[in-house]
C-alpha cells in the first residue's frame, strides 16, 4: 500500500496541469458556443495563451480536449482551427438532441417542475429580440435548451449536451439570416414553457419533437445552401 501511495503522490503534479487545461477548454468551449470564434477561425497559440496567461503545453492540451469534442480540428503544418461542420454533422447533432431532450421531458415525473432557468432564458430571448440582437437571440435559444436538459438533474447529460450545443453554435454561425432562423423559435420556446408550467408533460414532449424536426429541416436547408453541399 505504501508503494502505491508513493506512486500516487508522484501523479499529484498532473492534477494541476490537467485541471488547468480543463478550465482553459471550458473557457474556449464557452467562447465557441457564444459565437466569439466562428467556424474556420485559426486559433493562435501565442495570442490565446498570452490572453489567458497559460503555458503552451496547457493550451495544447485544451486544444486536444476540444478536438476530441469535435469543436476544433488540427491541420498539419497549418495549426488549429474551429471546425466547419458538414450537413451530416448538423443532422447528427439534431438526432442527438431529439433523443436526449425528448427523453428528459418524458422523464420529468409529476409536476410542478423547476422551470426558473427555462423561464429566464425565454425572458432573455425577449430582451434580445427587442434590441434586434439576433446573435444574442440565438444564444438565448441555446440557453433555453440547456436549461431544459438540466431538468434531468444529471451531470453526465449536461456534460454531453454542453458539447452538442457548442457544435450547434458552429452551424448557427454560418447562417446568413440569424433573425429568420431564430426569431420563430422564441414563440415556440414560450409555448413549450407554458405547457410545462401547466404540467402537461406528454404534450410538451410532442411539441418538442415537432419543434426539433422542423428546426432540423430549416437549418439544414439554409446550411446546405451556405456551405455549398447540395445533394
Amino acid at each position: 500500500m505504501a508503494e502505491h501511495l508513493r506512486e500516487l503522490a508522484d501523479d499529484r503534479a498532473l492534477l494541476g496541469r490537467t485541471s488547468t487545461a480543463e478550465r482553459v477548454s471550458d473557457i474556449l468551449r464557452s467562447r465557441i458556443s457564444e459565437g466569439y470564434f466562428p467556424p474556420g477561425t485559426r486559433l493562435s497559440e501565442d495570442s490565446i495563451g498570452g490572453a489567458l496567461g497559460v503555458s503552451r503545453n496547457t493550451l495544447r492540451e485544451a486544444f486536444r480536449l476540444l478536438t476530441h469534442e469535435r469543436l476544433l480540428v488540427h491541420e498539419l503544418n497549418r495549426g488549429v482551427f474551429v471546425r466547419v461542420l458538414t450537413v451530416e454533422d448538423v443532422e447528427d447533432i439534431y438526432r442527438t438532441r431529439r433523443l436526449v431532450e425528448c427523453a428528459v421531458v418524458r422523464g420529468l415525473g409529476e409536476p410542478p417542475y423547476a422551470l426558473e432557468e427555462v423561464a429566464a432564458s425565454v425572458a432573455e430571448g425577449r430582451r434580445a429580440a427587442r434590441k434586434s440582437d439576433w446573435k444574442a437571440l440565438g444564444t438565448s435559444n441555446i440557453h433555453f435548451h440547456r436549461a431544459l436538459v438540466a431538468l434531468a438533474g444529471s451531470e453526465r447529460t449536461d456534460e454531453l449536451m454542453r458539447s452538442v450545443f457548442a457544435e450547434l453554435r458552429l452551424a448557427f454561425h454560418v447562417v446568413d439570416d440569424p433573425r429568420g432562423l431564430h426569431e420563430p423559435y422564441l414563440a415556440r420556446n414560450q409555448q413549450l414553457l407554458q405547457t410545462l408550467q401547466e404540467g402537461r408533460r406528454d404534450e410538451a414532449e410532442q411539441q418538442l419533437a415537432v419543434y426539433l424536426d422542423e428546426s432540423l429541416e430549416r437549418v439544414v436547408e439554409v446550411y446546405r445552401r451556405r456551405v455549398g453541399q447540395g445533394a
Side-chain angles (χ1 to χ4, degrees):
M1 176 63 71
E3 181 180 352
H4 290 317
L5 289 176
R6 283 194 298 271
E7 292 174 356
L8 191 60
D10 290 339
D11 290 335
R12 184 183 302 169
L14 297 175
L15 293 175
R17 290 200 294 270
T18 301
S19 62
T20 301
E22 288 175 350
R23 288 196 297 270
V24 171
S25 69
D26 285 343
I27 292 169
L28 294 178
R29 187 189 301 105
S30 295
R31 292 296 185 176
I32 292 169
S33 180
E34 301 297 331
Y36 287 95
F37 295 119
T41 300
R42 181 180 180 275
L43 301 185
S44 165
E45 288 186 0
D46 291 339
S47 297
I48 294 176
L52 294 176
V54 297
S55 70
R56 189 179 297 268
N57 285 340
T58 295
L59 187 59
R60 286 177 176 174
E61 173 63 11
F63 284 170
R64 187 192 67 79
L65 292 171
L66 295 177
T67 300
H68 181 69
E69 294 179 18
R70 298 177 297 278
L71 296 177
L72 303 180
V73 60
H74 180 267
E75 297 185 11
L76 189 62
N77 299 323
R78 294 194 64 220
V80 175
F81 295 80
V82 179
R83 191 159 171 255
V84 178
L85 302 183
T86 66
V87 170
E88 291 74 21
D89 290 325
V90 176
E91 291 171 337
D92 193 38
I93 287 168
Y94 271 87
R95 277 194 295 270
T96 303
R97 291 186 65 194
R98 200 180 194 282
L99 284 169
V100 173
E101 292 185 50
C102 289
V104 167
V105 173
R106 188 183 316 125
L108 282 177
E110 295 302 316
Y113 309 123
L115 299 169
E116 292 81 8
E117 291 300 318
V118 180
S121 67
V122 172
E124 176 190 351
R126 289 200 205 96
R127 289 192 297 271
R130 284 196 297 268
K131 296 176 182 177
S132 298
D133 188 341
W134 310 119
K135 177 181 173 182
L137 181 57
T139 298
S140 72
N141 187 43
I142 289 176
H143 290 169
F144 174 85
H145 290 278
R146 284 174 58 180
L148 201 63
V149 169
L151 294 175
S154 166
E155 291 183 5
R156 291 173 178 81
T157 305
D158 289 343
E159 183 177 354
L160 166 67
M161 296 306 292
R162 180 178 60 183
S163 296
V164 170
F165 289 133
E167 280 193 272
L168 181 65
R169 186 66 196 226
L170 297 182
F172 284 172
H173 200 84
V174 172
V175 175
D176 57 355
D177 181 17
R179 178 179 184 175
L181 178 65
H182 300 305
E183 193 173 32
Y185 296 110
L186 183 55
R188 303 287 288 267
N189 291 350
Q190 175 62 60
Q191 179 188 37
L192 188 56
L193 170 62
Q194 183 176 342
T195 303
L196 288 171
Q197 286 173 330
E198 294 171 357
R200 293 180 284 130
R201 180 191 59 192
D202 293 343
E203 184 177 340
E205 182 188 354
Q206 293 171 4
Q207 288 176 353
L208 180 59
V210 172
Y211 176 142
L212 292 175
D213 288 345
E214 292 180 356
S215 178
L216 169 60
E217 184 178 350
R218 184 179 182 84
V219 171
V220 165
E221 177 187 359
V222 176
Y223 197 82
R224 182 176 281 120
R225 184 169 65 247
R226 285 286 292 164
V227 301
Q229 296 190 39

